[in-house]
mmCIF file of all heavy atoms in Angstrom:
data_model
loop_
_atom_site.group_PDB
_atom_site.id
_atom_site.type_symbol
_atom_site.label_atom_id
_atom_site.label_comp_id
_atom_site.label_asym_id
_atom_site.label_seq_id
_atom_site.Cartn_x
_atom_site.Cartn_y
_atom_site.Cartn_z
ATOM 1 N N GLU A 852 7.497 0.340 -4.597
ATOM 2 C CA GLU A 852 8.875 0.160 -4.658
ATOM 3 C C GLU A 852 9.554 1.519 -4.705
ATOM 4 O O GLU A 852 8.960 2.442 -5.215
ATOM 5 C CB GLU A 852 9.335 -0.850 -5.759
ATOM 6 C CG GLU A 852 8.695 -2.150 -5.761
ATOM 7 C CD GLU A 852 9.141 -2.954 -4.557
ATOM 8 O OE1 GLU A 852 10.308 -2.780 -4.080
ATOM 9 O OE2 GLU A 852 8.342 -3.771 -4.097
ATOM 10 N N PRO A 853 10.858 1.538 -4.469
ATOM 11 C CA PRO A 853 11.557 2.911 -4.439
ATOM 12 C C PRO A 853 12.061 3.297 -5.825
ATOM 13 O O PRO A 853 13.326 3.751 -5.843
ATOM 14 C CB PRO A 853 12.608 2.662 -3.444
ATOM 15 C CG PRO A 853 12.990 1.264 -3.552
ATOM 16 C CD PRO A 853 11.700 0.564 -3.885
ATOM 17 N N TYR A 854 11.374 3.176 -6.875
ATOM 18 C CA TYR A 854 11.918 3.557 -8.224
ATOM 19 C C TYR A 854 11.347 4.928 -8.624
ATOM 20 O O TYR A 854 10.181 5.199 -8.421
ATOM 21 C CB TYR A 854 11.510 2.460 -9.231
ATOM 22 C CG TYR A 854 12.297 1.257 -9.084
ATOM 23 C CD1 TYR A 854 11.692 0.131 -8.401
ATOM 24 C CD2 TYR A 854 13.479 0.965 -9.679
ATOM 25 C CE1 TYR A 854 12.366 -1.006 -8.155
ATOM 26 C CE2 TYR A 854 14.213 -0.219 -9.482
ATOM 27 C CZ TYR A 854 13.548 -1.198 -8.785
ATOM 28 O OH TYR A 854 14.256 -2.451 -8.623
ATOM 29 N N SER A 855 12.158 5.650 -9.318
ATOM 30 C CA SER A 855 11.690 6.878 -9.927
ATOM 31 C C SER A 855 10.970 6.522 -11.214
ATOM 32 O O SER A 855 11.146 5.482 -11.759
ATOM 33 C CB SER A 855 12.855 7.834 -10.250
ATOM 34 O OG SER A 855 13.627 7.262 -11.176
ATOM 35 N N ALA A 856 10.277 7.463 -11.790
ATOM 36 C CA ALA A 856 9.636 7.248 -13.098
ATOM 37 C C ALA A 856 10.667 7.067 -14.149
ATOM 38 O O ALA A 856 10.481 6.188 -15.087
ATOM 39 C CB ALA A 856 8.734 8.465 -13.511
ATOM 40 N N ARG A 857 11.781 7.715 -14.084
ATOM 41 C CA ARG A 857 12.924 7.474 -15.065
ATOM 42 C C ARG A 857 13.487 6.040 -14.945
ATOM 43 O O ARG A 857 13.696 5.392 -15.939
ATOM 44 C CB ARG A 857 13.989 8.490 -14.810
ATOM 45 C CG ARG A 857 15.147 8.363 -15.838
ATOM 46 C CD ARG A 857 16.211 9.515 -15.684
ATOM 47 N NE ARG A 857 15.673 10.850 -15.928
ATOM 48 C CZ ARG A 857 15.515 11.294 -17.156
ATOM 49 N NH1 ARG A 857 15.870 10.533 -18.232
ATOM 50 N NH2 ARG A 857 15.115 12.503 -17.369
ATOM 51 N N GLN A 858 13.714 5.541 -13.721
ATOM 52 C CA GLN A 858 14.135 4.222 -13.531
ATOM 53 C C GLN A 858 13.170 3.176 -14.022
ATOM 54 O O GLN A 858 13.484 2.167 -14.684
ATOM 55 C CB GLN A 858 14.564 3.991 -12.039
ATOM 56 C CG GLN A 858 15.691 4.775 -11.579
ATOM 57 C CD GLN A 858 15.755 4.744 -10.067
ATOM 58 O OE1 GLN A 858 14.791 4.784 -9.362
ATOM 59 N NE2 GLN A 858 17.080 4.622 -9.501
ATOM 60 N N ALA A 859 11.871 3.420 -13.680
ATOM 61 C CA ALA A 859 10.826 2.471 -14.113
ATOM 62 C C ALA A 859 10.753 2.455 -15.651
ATOM 63 O O ALA A 859 10.543 1.404 -16.240
ATOM 64 C CB ALA A 859 9.470 2.939 -13.469
ATOM 65 N N ALA A 860 10.945 3.631 -16.202
ATOM 66 C CA ALA A 860 10.809 3.716 -17.703
ATOM 67 C C ALA A 860 11.854 2.802 -18.291
ATOM 68 O O ALA A 860 11.598 2.063 -19.297
ATOM 69 C CB ALA A 860 10.995 5.147 -18.191
ATOM 70 N N THR A 861 13.091 2.867 -17.804
ATOM 71 C CA THR A 861 14.245 2.039 -18.225
ATOM 72 C C THR A 861 13.832 0.592 -18.143
ATOM 73 O O THR A 861 14.066 -0.219 -19.160
ATOM 74 C CB THR A 861 15.496 2.386 -17.545
ATOM 75 O OG1 THR A 861 15.803 3.755 -17.762
ATOM 76 C CG2 THR A 861 16.650 1.492 -18.004
ATOM 77 N N LEU A 862 13.350 0.200 -16.977
ATOM 78 C CA LEU A 862 13.010 -1.194 -16.699
ATOM 79 C C LEU A 862 11.884 -1.741 -17.719
ATOM 80 O O LEU A 862 11.888 -2.856 -18.115
ATOM 81 C CB LEU A 862 12.547 -1.411 -15.268
ATOM 82 C CG LEU A 862 13.631 -1.306 -14.254
ATOM 83 C CD1 LEU A 862 13.005 -1.250 -12.799
ATOM 84 C CD2 LEU A 862 14.644 -2.442 -14.369
ATOM 85 N N LEU A 863 10.933 -0.776 -17.975
ATOM 86 C CA LEU A 863 9.766 -1.201 -18.794
ATOM 87 C C LEU A 863 9.932 -0.902 -20.251
ATOM 88 O O LEU A 863 8.999 -1.241 -21.062
ATOM 89 C CB LEU A 863 8.522 -0.458 -18.245
ATOM 90 C CG LEU A 863 8.180 -0.784 -16.784
ATOM 91 C CD1 LEU A 863 7.134 0.152 -16.273
ATOM 92 C CD2 LEU A 863 7.727 -2.246 -16.618
#
Side-chain angles (χ1 to χ4, degrees):
E852 299 295 330
Y854 291 91
S855 68
R857 182 175 293 280
Q858 292 168 320
T861 300
L862 290 171
L863 298 171

